[in-house]
Structures are given as structure tokens and as C-alpha cells.
Amino acid sequence: MGDSDELNEELLRILGEHLASLSVTTTVRYFPPEKEDRVVAQFVESYYPEYIATARLELRVRMNADFNVQYIEEWDTEQWACRWDRHPNAHNTREHFHPPPKPRVDTAIDASYPAELPDILRVILATLEQRINTLWTTPSEPVYPTEYEFTGEYGETYLQ
């Protein structure tokens, strides 16, 4: 990767094509007007219990290998979200994870990710598969975002 903090549009398109090929993905939008620096993958609604209206994954990748990947579930009036980051910052190590249900600076956890973005995406997709499976274990008794407490269950493979 280069030294620039410019968007790596080529890699974002490749990752977007991979996401588009997955059965969980309904659409992939490349650099949409409301998020011109990202690729946004919308997930198939039927993969989720009915109390989740939509779910999406947003990817932003820089030429210098910095990245930001955010997963967002839209509930009735709430969001359940988390974020994987690699960038210089004052709150954590360069590689860190913002746990659900609401990514915040004060709750970020240091992490250690694979070197290459395709490998990082594989880790993230495995995490999301685990999340979807968890949602279906008790679909009639959902744990709403305001009731949820992160215990490391979606990060054991890369959190320190």
C-alpha cells in the first residue's frame, strides 16, 4: 500500500464485488452521494428476525492501509452497531474495535487484525455470521440495543 491517506477506490471496488457475491448481500453501492468515501453493502432482510428492519456494512479504505468498517442494524427506534478501525488516534492503538451496541471512543478496545484487507473482511464476515446466528437463537426474546452489553462475544479472534 502507499503512503497516502487517499481512498483506495480500487480495493474498495474489489471488496464490494466480493460482498456482492455473497448470499447475505442484497445490494452494494459504490461511493453513494450520502457516503462518497465508502462502499455500502445492504444485507438481505430475511436473514434477520423481523424486529431488525435493515442491516448494512460500510467500508472505507485508504491507500496507506488505514480502514474503517462499520456494521449497523436498524431496529424500530434504535441502532445496534460496531466498528473495526485501523488509523492513528489518541484513544487506542492504531488497530482497535468499537464494540456494540453504540461505537464510542470511550469504549474502544485495542485489537490486532490481519495485515491484508481481504483477510480482515473474512474475520468481519465470520463475526457477522456469528451475530446473525445469535439473533436467531431466541428470536421471540430479542435483546434490544439499549439492553445489550458487550462481553467480547463478537471479537475473540482478534481482540487482545
Side-chain angles (χ1 to χ4, degrees):
M1 301 266 172
D3 293 329
S4 173
D5 67 351
E6 293 179 20
L7 280 182
N8 188 335
E9 292 184 20
E10 180 181 359
L11 182 55
L12 279 167
R13 289 182 192 283
I14 291 169
L15 295 174
E17 288 172 13
H18 175 70
L19 287 170
S21 73
L22 302 176
S23 62
V24 72
T25 308
T26 184
T27 60
V28 174
R29 297 182 329 156
Y30 298 87
F31 318 110
E34 69 279 7
K35 296 185 185 248
E36 294 178 347
D37 62 346
R38 300 164 201 236
V39 168
V40 179
Q42 194 73 35
F43 293 144
V44 177
E45 290 177 19
S46 63
Y47 272 60
Y48 294 85
E50 63 184 31
Y51 50 83
I52 296 176
T54 64
R56 68 184 182 276
L57 191 66
E58 299 181 0
L59 292 83
R60 181 174 47 199
V61 179
R62 305 277 182 204
M63 294 297 289
N64 63 5
D66 286 354
F67 68 86
N68 169 275
V69 178
Q70 185 159 321
Y71 171 72
I72 303 160
E73 294 171 358
E74 299 287 348
W75 292 52
D76 292 335
T77 59
E78 304 176 45
Q79 278 190 347
W80 189 98
C82 59
R83 191 172 72 229
W84 298 261
D85 285 333
R86 177 187 287 154
H87 63 86
N89 64 84
H91 57 80
N92 284 85
T93 61
R94 183 170 177 247
E95 294 184 342
H96 55 281
F97 175 70
H98 294 267
K102 184 176 181 180
R104 297 186 324 255
V105 169
D106 64 332
T107 60
I109 302 167
D110 293 343
S112 180
Y113 300 119
E116 301 298 324
L117 263 295
D119 296 328
I120 294 166
L121 184 58
R122 277 191 271 289
V123 168
I124 291 170
L125 291 172
T127 301
L128 297 183
E129 181 179 14
Q130 184 181 357
R131 169 67 179 160
I132 292 168
N133 289 337
T134 299
L135 289 168
W136 284 105
T137 58
T138 55
S140 62
E141 300 173 17
V143 176
Y144 282 82
T146 53
E147 301 167 328
Y148 176 83
E149 185 175 328
F150 180 69
T151 59
E153 67 274 25
Y154 301 113
E156 293 124 2
T157 59
Y158 52 85
L159 296 180
Q160 299 175 345

